[in-house]
Amino acid sequence: MQVPAGDLLNRIKYPSDLKQLKEDELEQVCNELRQYIIDVVSVNGGHFAASLGTVELTVALQYVLNTPYDQLVWDVGHQAYGHKILTGRREIFHTNRVYKGISGFPKRSESIYDTFGVGHSSTSISAALGMAVASQYKGETDRQHVAVIGDGAMTAGMAFEALNHAGIENSNILVILNDNNMSIDPNVGALKEYLTDITTSKPYNRLRDDIATVLAKISSMGPDAFKIAKKIEKSVKGTLLKRSNFFEALKFRYFGPVDGHDVKHLIKLLRDLRDIPGPKLLHCVTVKGKGYALAEKDQTKWHAPGLFDKITGEIKKTKYDKPQPPKYQDVFGHTIIELAEANPKIMGITPAMPSGCSLNLMMKAMPNRAFDVGIAEQHAVTFSAGLATQGLIPFCNIYSSFMQRAYDQVIHDVAIQKLNVVMCLDRAGFAGADGATHHGAYDLAYMRCIPNMTISAPMNEEELRNLMYTAQQDNMGPFVIRYPRGNGVMVDWQRPMKAIPVGKGRKICDGEEVAILSIGAIGNEVVKATEQLHTDGYFPAHYDLRFVKPLDEALLHEVFTKYNHIITVEDGCLEGGMGSAILEFMADNNYNAHVVRLGIPDAVIEHGEQPELWAECGYDAASIAAQVKQLGIKRETHHTIAS
């Protein structure tokens, strides 16, 4: 739904239009931009609080920089809605995160102003440094390179690696630290405490406003004067803060902290910094959710609230007459507490997603046994491995697409050492509106090739609980449990837990001619398909593998002995996934059947609701049923056997 823009915002299509305005008009632009984000997101959904906090910074950057020639890189993208609106996409912003609409994150193929595609955190400094070095190599000495990174993203190792490299390159790069003390949940760790110390140092703050201006003026007096000024400034900063400045130690010029909501002052600073050579860091203090009182008060809740009434703040949720199945993440959150109460060895770990994966429930109930380690997936896995060496059983919960960032640690630190780390991969399969950067498309394939791994996927909530119970038994080794985003299928899900034999699948229903093999929650689409097929006179068998490693060989021998047509269904990539495992089994055992694999094709699939994407890729219930009808023979009657 189109939303009207304010008078000034309505005149801005591109940054060139913004530059035509007077500086005195920019506060009104900020107010209108903030209100526009509130208006659109309230009726269309999307990420919310982060972009409200960067409104003034966005306006100042686009006012001062010569984008897209100057390279502006946004970290993650949650904070870049204002950027999108000011760079030619205001009139289509209502399609943000909607199927076939614009992406919720910066995306190079979408706009020349999106210099780097993002979705995962902490990539901005590395990317901007690469751009800066390239410009230096090409002789583009007038080109600016700016990375805007949230302080939550600063907790990732990749950000530190990039800072370490940038400090020695002497390239023209400006890192803007958007310090709001939040990622999705409140930040944790020593860096957070360090930044808090800086922002609360009153003597230091009394001097901060003059430093950038003085340095900009001195730089015109020659290199010797500039070197002397740098030494004086470093001495002053170190004395007032009573410690060495972390960023200065990495050879960055540090400026701040400054008010990230003072658009005029930001413009002045950015102009001054433009004239200072070398790597620089501007520390901006902002408020996540700025301008919307409820979002300022509860920033985690309003990170991505869904649809809401902008006047009352009521978040709109569908009301049901009957109890509904829970989210898989909540099943995990409640179940790990049950298991931990009975087993003192169990620990919980998450890299900055306690509310997203529901480990926050355990953190509240058992604060000494549940850890948020910051946006640091590699550390999360190896930290879990360290716990496991001491006889503990860590449940390391990481979104499937984020686990890609810790792949070496899974192999080197967990699998090779056969450590009992339970890796719970939330958001497996299609992740919905977050799109290509967040789809958990590859975990079955990238985990399946690693030795010593057990890889499982529950079809429903009861199976998730049983697999978690199974994984915490003694000597289980590296154990993967993958499950999707969203709600399950069972209202009565809190049943007594029991162990599942590792590598043992199950028959959902017997059949003839065609056998469907599924793994994980997508099996519920197969159930829908078979119910309709029975009505239409087709009677395929359905098997739930539960494990892609080790495979249930007895079950597969039964299938290949009995059926000539086999359909595999998985909410994951076809290359190397469960279907590939079935083909390997068939070849290794000299079977000859017609196998059709349904799953995510060898393509980048964009954002959309899960059912929309299943249909696009041909493995929703209707597509599965159509495939069976191509292979099977219609019958008048058939007796199915459930097990």
Side-chain angles (χ1 to χ4, degrees):
M1 184 179 80
Q2 277 280 22
V3 173
D7 293 339
L8 291 181
L9 185 59
N10 195 47
R11 290 158 49 186
I12 302 169
K13 189 168 185 180
Y14 291 101
S16 57
D17 303 316
L18 176 67
K19 296 177 192 298
Q20 300 304 312
L21 301 178
K22 299 176 182 177
E23 285 190 34
D24 289 341
E25 296 177 293
L26 296 184
E27 287 188 13
Q28 182 180 337
V29 172
C30 292
N31 292 336
E32 292 180 6
L33 179 57
R34 181 171 279 113
Q35 187 59 51
Y36 190 75
I37 293 172
I38 293 171
D39 290 344
V40 174
V41 176
S42 66
V43 297
N44 293 319
H47 292 103
F48 183 61
S51 284
L52 293 185
T54 58
V55 164
E56 288 80 11
L57 180 58
T58 302
V59 170
L61 284 166
Q62 294 293 359
Y63 195 74
V64 173
L65 295 178
N66 179 27
T67 58
Y69 178 72
D70 288 339
Q71 303 282 279
L72 176 57
V73 183
W74 293 91
D75 213 284
V76 182
H78 296 158
Q79 55 187 343
Y81 282 7
H83 162 80
K84 290 205 165 202
I85 293 166
L86 295 178
T87 54
R89 286 163 281 183
R90 175 172 52 79
E91 293 179 356
I92 57 172
F93 187 64
H94 64 283
T95 71
N96 183 51
R97 292 167 55 86
V98 176
Y99 186 57
K100 300 299 183 181
I102 64 172
S103 171
F105 304 101
K107 184 178 177 183
R108 281 173 56 83
S109 61
E110 186 177 290
S111 172
I112 193 173
Y113 290 91
D114 292 357
T115 61
F116 200 75
V118 293
H120 296 187
S121 84
S122 315
T123 60
S124 61
I125 304 174
S126 297
L129 178 60
M131 296 171 186
V133 169
S135 293
Q136 191 174 44
Y137 174 74
K138 294 188 293 182
E140 299 167 344
T141 57
D142 60 334
R143 202 171 198 181
Q144 303 293 312
H145 310 86
V146 180
V148 183
I149 183 168
D151 60 339
M154 272 289 193
T155 63
M158 186 174 178
F160 289 101
E161 293 167 17
L163 287 170
N164 183 56
H165 181 197
I168 64 169
E169 284 299 335
N170 200 33
S171 298
N172 189 18
I173 180 174
L174 169 63
V175 176
I176 297 180
L177 174 57
N178 173 28
D179 180 2
N180 61 21
N181 199 31
M182 293 288 293
S183 49
I184 294 176
D185 294 283
N187 288 336
V188 297
L191 179 63
K192 172 223 172 183
E193 302 298 333
Y194 173 77
L195 294 175
T196 300
D197 285 350
I198 291 178
T199 57
T200 56
S201 174
K202 293 180 180 179
Y204 179 74
N205 278 280
R206 281 196 292 268
L207 282 171
R208 73 175 190 261
D209 293 337
D210 299 325
I211 292 175
T213 303
V214 171
L215 283 174
K217 291 179 179 178
I218 291 178
S219 65
S220 64
M221 298 168 60
D224 291 337
F226 188 68
K227 289 178 182 178
I228 294 171
K230 285 168 64 178
K231 290 180 180 179
I232 295 172
E233 183 209 6
K234 184 176 181 181
S235 175
V236 170
K237 288 178 178 178
T239 300
L240 291 175
L241 289 175
K242 298 181 180 179
R243 67 177 75 184
S244 296
N245 184 287
F246 171 76
F247 302 108
E248 298 277 352
L250 293 174
K251 301 186 184 300
F252 267 75
R253 315 272 327 115
Y254 172 85
F255 303 94
V258 300
D259 182 358
H261 299 299
D262 186 340
V263 67
K264 290 184 178 180
H265 188 49
L266 286 173
I267 288 171
K268 179 178 181 295
L269 284 171
L270 290 171
R271 283 174 173 159
D272 290 340
L273 291 174
R274 195 170 49 185
D275 298 326
I276 298 174
K280 305 167 289 289
L281 186 138
L282 176 62
H283 181 180
C284 293
V285 179
T286 62
V287 176
K288 188 173 182 179
K290 176 71 173 177
Y292 194 75
L294 293 172
E296 292 184 31
K297 185 177 180 180
D298 192 343
Q299 296 167 331
T300 298
K301 178 180 179 180
W302 288 89
H303 175 75
L307 308 186
F308 61 94
D309 186 314
K310 67 179 183 180
I311 305 300
T312 66
E314 178 187 0
I315 296 176
K316 299 176 182 178
K317 295 183 178 180
T318 305
K319 296 181 180 180
Y320 299 95
D321 295 330
K322 300 178 181 179
Q324 295 296 302
K327 293 180 179 179
Y328 282 100
Q329 68 180 63
D330 291 335
V331 175
F332 165 83
H334 290 289
T335 301
I336 193 172
I337 293 175
E338 287 184 53
L339 291 170
E341 287 173 341
N343 185 347
K345 296 180 180 179
I346 289 176
M347 312 291 275
I349 297 91
T350 179
M353 299 301 296
S355 61
C357 73
S358 294
L359 191 68
N360 58 339
L361 302 176
M362 185 181 185
M363 291 173 69
K364 182 178 180 180
M366 304 174 175
N368 64 327
R369 296 174 62 184
F371 303 89
D372 176 0
V373 302
I375 303 179
E377 293 85 2
Q378 294 170 294
H379 167 61
V381 171
T382 304
F383 173 63
S384 298
L387 291 171
T389 66
Q390 302 305 302
L392 301 179
I393 304 173
F395 278 70
C396 183
N397 192 306
I398 301 180
Y399 288 6
S400 172
S401 66
F402 296 168
M403 182 60 89
Q404 294 160 190
R405 314 184 92 187
Y407 192 55
D408 180 63
Q409 287 67 33
V410 172
I411 298 171
H412 182 272
D413 301 333
V414 177
I416 289 177
Q417 302 186 93
K418 301 181 182 179
L419 294 173
N420 189 188
V421 175
V422 184
M423 289 164 278
C424 296
L425 305 188
D426 198 340
R427 271 60 168 180
F430 282 133
D434 283 336
T437 58
H438 283 58
H439 293 327
Y442 311 110
D443 53 74
L444 288 177
Y446 71 64
M447 289 293 193
R448 194 171 69 83
C449 60
I450 304 174
N452 300 325
M453 302 288 286
T454 296
I455 306 168
S456 65
M459 187 169 157
N460 55 43
E461 299 93 310
E462 182 180 22
E463 292 283 287
L464 173 55
R465 286 167 58 80
N466 288 341
L467 285 169
M468 290 176 68
Y469 180 85
T470 302
Q472 54 91 47
Q473 298 179 111
D474 291 338
N475 302 315
M476 295 304 293
F479 202 111
V480 173
I481 307 173
R482 79 184 300 258
Y483 50 89
R485 180 177 193 167
N487 294 81
V489 294
M490 300 177 65
V491 175
D492 178 24
W493 60 274
Q494 285 185 298
R495 301 176 181 179
M497 288 177 275
K498 60 184 179 182
I500 295 175
V502 172
K504 182 67 175 176
R506 58 178 182 150
K507 183 189 295 182
I508 303 297
C509 69
D510 203 355
E512 57 187 39
E513 294 182 323
V514 179
I516 306 174
L517 305 179
S518 67
I519 182 84
I522 199 65
N524 295 295
E525 288 295 295
V526 179
V527 171
K528 293 177 186 177
T530 54
E531 289 174 351
Q532 182 59 50
L533 286 164
H534 291 169
T535 301
D536 296 341
Y538 297 86
F539 301 95
H542 179 201
Y543 295 84
D544 170 28
L545 288 185
R546 290 197 291 210
F547 296 88
V548 75
K549 188 173 187 176
L551 287 170
D552 187 339
E553 295 195 358
L555 181 152
L556 292 178
H557 281 301
E558 174 187 326
V559 168
F560 278 97
T561 300
K562 186 174 180 181
Y563 299 96
N564 293 323
H565 300 288
I566 297 166
I567 299 172
T568 67
V569 183
E570 58 196 302
D571 193 16
C573 65
L574 290 175
E575 278 68 22
M578 183 267 283
S580 294
I582 300 305
L583 290 177
E584 292 166 13
F585 175 87
M586 182 177 74
D588 291 344
N589 290 276
N590 297 312
Y591 287 114
N592 184 19
H594 176 214
V595 178
V596 175
R597 295 178 299 145
L598 303 182
I600 299 175
D602 186 20
V604 174
I605 308 300
E606 302 298 346
H607 57 283
E609 297 299 318
Q610 289 165 315
E612 294 172 326
L613 301 181
W614 296 337
E616 178 181 322
C617 294
Y619 62 95
D620 64 332
S623 300
I624 296 167
Q627 190 66 57
V628 170
K629 289 181 179 181
Q630 289 183 28
L631 302 175
I633 299 174
K634 187 173 183 178
R635 307 289 186 188
E636 294 301 323
T637 60
H638 180 84
H639 179 65
T640 60
I641 302 172
S643 62

